[in-house]
Amino acid sequence: MTTSQMFDLHVVQKIRKVAVLVFLIALCALTMVTQSPAGLESAMHEGVEAVGLAAIVFSIVGRAWCSLYIGGRKKAEVVSRGPYSITRNPLYVFSFFGAFGIGAQSGSLTIASLFVVASLAVFFMTVRREEAWLEGTFGDAYRQYRERTPRFVPNFSLWRDETELSVRPSFFLTTIRDGLVFLLAVPLFEAIDLAQAEGWLKVFAYLP
């Protein structure tokens, strides 16, 4: 692997993080001036938040599971076992659940869906760059893996697992730490709800 290839992948990952941050800020700003039509105390509002919290927990656990297979290996080999045997990007797939969960803390399914669409847009752009890097680095080994394994939608019939794993705790703990950041959405959106209830934030639109 050349220094140029490593730099290219680093740049792609950095761009992805910046894009996610920009979309997150923009969607949080939208949430501050919108509200679910059923009201902040309605069963619908609370139900959407509860489903969203479950999605966030599912995302954190799923991402941690993926890290057991990919941690520290992405730049060294084509990982094609466990969750990577049924989809090429299981970390991103679980992140979509996390994005939905974050948006759902607004109590609006529309906002939750917008978070998913934004994450899809960001990851689709970066995945194509990552795939080009992987093909250039691993050649036929990656091309064969790409041909048999879907990009996002899992194909469970392809499941293959390792008999044992060599776990790198630092990567596992880093993934857990990054995932726990998703939970910050809970107090953030509760603060927005409070500000709207007290009239500190004006609601301009109601989104189901």
Side-chain angles (χ1 to χ4, degrees):
M1 183 187 308
T2 67
T3 301
S4 175
Q5 287 175 321
M6 291 184 67
F7 177 76
D8 288 344
L9 184 60
H10 176 72
V11 169
V12 170
Q13 292 171 340
K14 187 174 182 179
I15 291 173
R16 181 194 70 206
K17 291 177 181 179
V18 171
V20 168
L21 180 61
V22 169
F23 275 114
L24 183 62
I25 292 173
L27 288 170
C28 284
L30 175 64
T31 303
M32 295 173 70
V33 296
T34 60
Q35 191 180 109
S36 57
L40 298 177
E41 302 298 329
S42 68
M44 179 65 179
H45 184 94
E46 297 293 333
V48 171
E49 288 182 339
V51 171
L53 180 58
I56 290 175
V57 173
F58 180 69
S59 174
I60 293 172
V61 172
R63 284 169 52 85
W65 176 49
C66 293
S67 75
L68 297 176
Y69 291 82
I70 196 69
R73 301 180 180 90
K74 185 172 184 177
K75 297 177 182 178
E77 62 183 279
V78 177
V79 179
S80 60
R81 298 286 181 168
Y84 290 87
S85 67
I86 58 177
T87 171
R88 302 201 300 272
N89 300 284
L91 268 170
Y92 292 164
V93 173
F94 282 110
S95 294
F96 297 149
F97 283 94
F100 174 86
I102 291 172
Q105 296 312 301
S106 67
S108 166
L109 289 174
T110 301
I111 294 293
S113 298
L114 287 175
F115 269 77
V116 175
V117 170
S119 64
L120 276 168
V122 171
F123 290 140
F124 182 76
M125 289 186 293
T126 56
V127 159
R128 288 193 301 175
R129 297 289 297 275
E130 288 179 349
E131 289 177 345
W133 179 88
L134 289 165
E135 183 174 356
T137 302
F138 300 110
D140 287 339
Y142 178 73
R143 281 190 287 271
Q144 292 172 9
Y145 170 64
R146 183 184 62 195
E147 288 173 2
R148 70 174 181 266
T149 313
R151 175 180 280 167
F152 288 128
V153 181
N155 181 348
F156 295 99
S157 66
L158 297 175
W159 174 264
R160 293 180 301 167
D161 207 351
E162 299 281 11
T163 55
E164 61 181 34
L165 290 172
S166 176
V167 178
R168 303 186 184 186
S170 61
F171 288 98
F172 177 77
L173 293 174
T174 297
T175 304
I176 289 287
R177 181 201 65 194
D178 292 346
L180 289 175
V181 173
F182 293 172
L183 291 173
L184 293 177
V186 177
L188 172 62
F189 284 96
E190 287 298 323
I192 291 175
D193 285 352
L194 176 62
Q196 290 179 344
E198 295 295 330
W200 301 333
L201 290 175
K202 185 173 182 180
V203 177
F204 291 95
Y206 292 88
L207 301 176

